[in-house]
Amino acid sequence: LWHGAAWTFVVWGAWHGLLQVIYRLFGEKGQDTDRTVRGWTSALSLIGRTALMVILVAAGWAVFRATSFDQVVYIFTHFGFGMSSNSAIFILRLICFALPLVIVQIVQLRTKNPVFMARMNPSVRGLVYGLMFVAIMIFSQGGITHFIYQGF
């Protein structure tokens, strides 16, 4: 293959393409791909569909990241939810990054104003942006992480 990519990359591309085709077929068949929330049932449907898509895409990323099909089998047969101190730190960082975004999304939904922060008092907006910057600096990656394409 080109520039040293493994066959797992081809499988990932086929998987990603299949997901795109299925998504578009559901849209063409009149299935609901609308992301507007109109009550609890549509909110649960949206959350479920989004979670399913994230899981399917993450499964594809696992295939993409693997260096061989043996490694793909190993990844999917040894997947688990064991907790360690590293897991707890990761979850804490994830919550610290995701929670502000979830809060912003909820406020946008409740106020029906996607740019509510732009209309805030400039001092308050500066404080919010400053707190976001500090949070990013505190909870960001502590070490050097190699870029996924570096091995190609």
Side-chain angles (χ1 to χ4, degrees):
L1 287 172
W2 66 100
H3 62 80
W7 278 104
T8 53
F9 181 75
V10 175
V11 171
W12 169 81
W15 176 252
H16 184 74
L18 178 67
L19 290 178
Q20 289 288 324
V21 167
I22 291 171
Y23 181 81
R24 294 191 194 288
L25 283 176
F26 272 105
E28 290 174 8
K29 298 290 184 191
Q31 298 294 323
D32 184 19
T33 57
D34 183 17
R35 300 184 64 81
T36 305
V37 176
R38 296 182 187 91
W40 285 106
T41 55
S42 68
L44 291 176
S45 172
L46 177 63
I47 290 168
R49 289 180 292 157
T50 303
L52 176 62
M53 186 57 77
V54 167
I55 290 167
L56 293 173
V57 169
W61 285 342
V63 173
F64 176 79
R65 187 66 179 108
T67 57
S68 68
F69 289 111
D70 289 336
Q71 193 176 36
V72 171
V73 171
Y74 181 85
I75 289 170
F76 286 113
T77 57
H78 289 80
F79 183 77
F81 294 102
M83 290 292 290
S84 68
S85 61
N86 288 338
S87 302
I89 291 169
F90 172 76
I91 290 170
L92 175 64
R93 285 183 172 175
L94 181 62
I95 290 170
C96 287
F97 275 118
L99 189 60
L101 299 174
V102 170
I103 291 170
V104 167
Q105 290 289 302
I106 290 170
V107 172
Q108 288 175 335
L109 181 65
R110 296 273 181 183
T111 62
K112 294 182 171 64
N113 184 0
V115 292
F116 77 94
M117 287 185 67
R119 296 190 175 112
M120 291 173 100
N121 178 314
S123 299
V124 174
R125 189 172 62 230
L127 179 65
V128 170
Y129 289 153
L131 289 172
M132 287 180 183
F133 177 76
V134 169
I136 289 170
M137 297 307 292
I138 290 173
F139 294 106
S140 65
Q141 181 69 28
I144 296 173
T145 304
H146 295 289
F147 187 56
I148 193 168
Y149 291 112
Q150 188 171 357
F152 292 146

